[in-house]
């Protein structure tokens, strides 16, 4: 479909209304701060932008709520892509985007959506800050192994598999990982799975058995035993406590 006529008309209206889009360099400089993991500046920048959020932005829908949601989708698409290019695992980056878009989809007001944009920016920034810290303290082999662990949480991972992926002998890889991370590969994998399970338990649509099998545990009882050992309570007790805190 040819858009030249409509484009000319809209550009005419923008000139007539003296509408000026936000400079793309200024916009991306804010994204660069997110990539740097500078959470304080990210919050400061967004608090300033929030005062007149739609200034310099195009109208994507005549419905104010839908317009704000579309802007959230566009913003998160760019941020997720930039985070991936700067080292954040792509499954993590895009799943975070999915989470915030789904939350925006059920939002009831423009302010609620704008709050979500700010929260998402802080979320990405904090993850990038942790990533930079990890990159500065871990070797390339260990960083790759940790990323591999997060990308394969649904599998019953073993240290030998990680060593093979990195092209190292199991003995050397085991010692290297323990030296840099401060714990064994087995203990790290289990702690990551239990931490992930804790987040998943907040979703009542997922049964405890669903969570157990999705994280590569052989059975619900094996999952419950491991969870209680690390968390001091069973998954069911943990879920009930989360519900109580929310209430």
């Amino acid at each position: 479909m040819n858009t030249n006529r409509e484009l000319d008309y809209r550009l005419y209206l923008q000139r007539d209304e003296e509408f000026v889009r936000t400079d793309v360099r200024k916009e991306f400089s804010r994204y660069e701060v997110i990539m740097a993991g500078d959470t304080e500046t990210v919050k400061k920048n967004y608090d300033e932008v929030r005062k007149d959020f739609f200034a310099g932005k195009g109208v994507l829908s005549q419905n104010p709520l839908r317009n704000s949601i579309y802007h959230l989708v566009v913003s998160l698409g760019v941020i997720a892509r930039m985070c991936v290019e700067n080292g954040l695992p792509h499954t993590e980056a895009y799943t975070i985007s999915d989470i915030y878009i789904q939350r925006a989809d059920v939002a009831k007001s423009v302010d609620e959506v704008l709050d979500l944009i700010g929260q998402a920016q802080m979320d990405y920034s904090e993850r990038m800050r942790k990533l930079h810290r990890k990159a500065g303290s871990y070797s390339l082999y260990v960083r790759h192994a940790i990323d591999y662990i997060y990308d394969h949480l649904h599998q019953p991972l073993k240290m030998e598999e990680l060593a093979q992926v990195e092209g190292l002998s199991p003995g050397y890889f085991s010692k290297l990982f323990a030296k840099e991370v401060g714990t064994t590969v087995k203990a790290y994998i289990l702690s990551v799975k239990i931490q992930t399970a804790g987040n998943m338990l907040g979703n009542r649509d997922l049964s405890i058995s669903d969570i157990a099998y999705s994280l590569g545990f052989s059975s619900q009882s094996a999952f419950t035993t491991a969870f209680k050992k690390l968390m001091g309570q069973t998954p069911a007790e943990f879920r009930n406590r989360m519900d109580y805190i929310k209430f």
Side-chain angles (χ1 to χ4, degrees), residues 47 53 58 66 77 79 95-96 105 131 139 143 151 157 160 172-173 189 195 206 213 218 222 224-225 229:
D47 287 345
F53 180 82
R66 192 173 299 133
I79 294 173
T95 303
I96 294 168
D105 189 50
L131 182 67
S139 65
R143 293 205 309 270
D151 286 341
L157 291 170
E160 290 78 8
Y172 177 77
F173 175 73
I189 292 173
Q195 181 182 31
L206 297 173
Y213 290 116
S218 59
T224 298
T225 299
K229 184 177 181 180

Side-chain angles (χ1 to χ4, degrees), residues 94-110:
Y94 287 112
T95 303
I96 294 168
S97 174
D98 294 345
I99 290 170
Y100 283 99
I101 290 172
Q102 290 170 12
R103 290 178 180 178
D105 189 50
V106 295
K108 303 298 183 182
S109 68
V110 171

Side-chain angles (χ1 to χ4, degrees), residues 220-236:
Q220 182 176 335
S221 62
F223 167 62
T224 298
T225 299
F227 192 94
K228 186 174 183 179
K229 184 177 181 180
L230 265 68
M231 304 297 288
Q233 53 191 322
T234 67

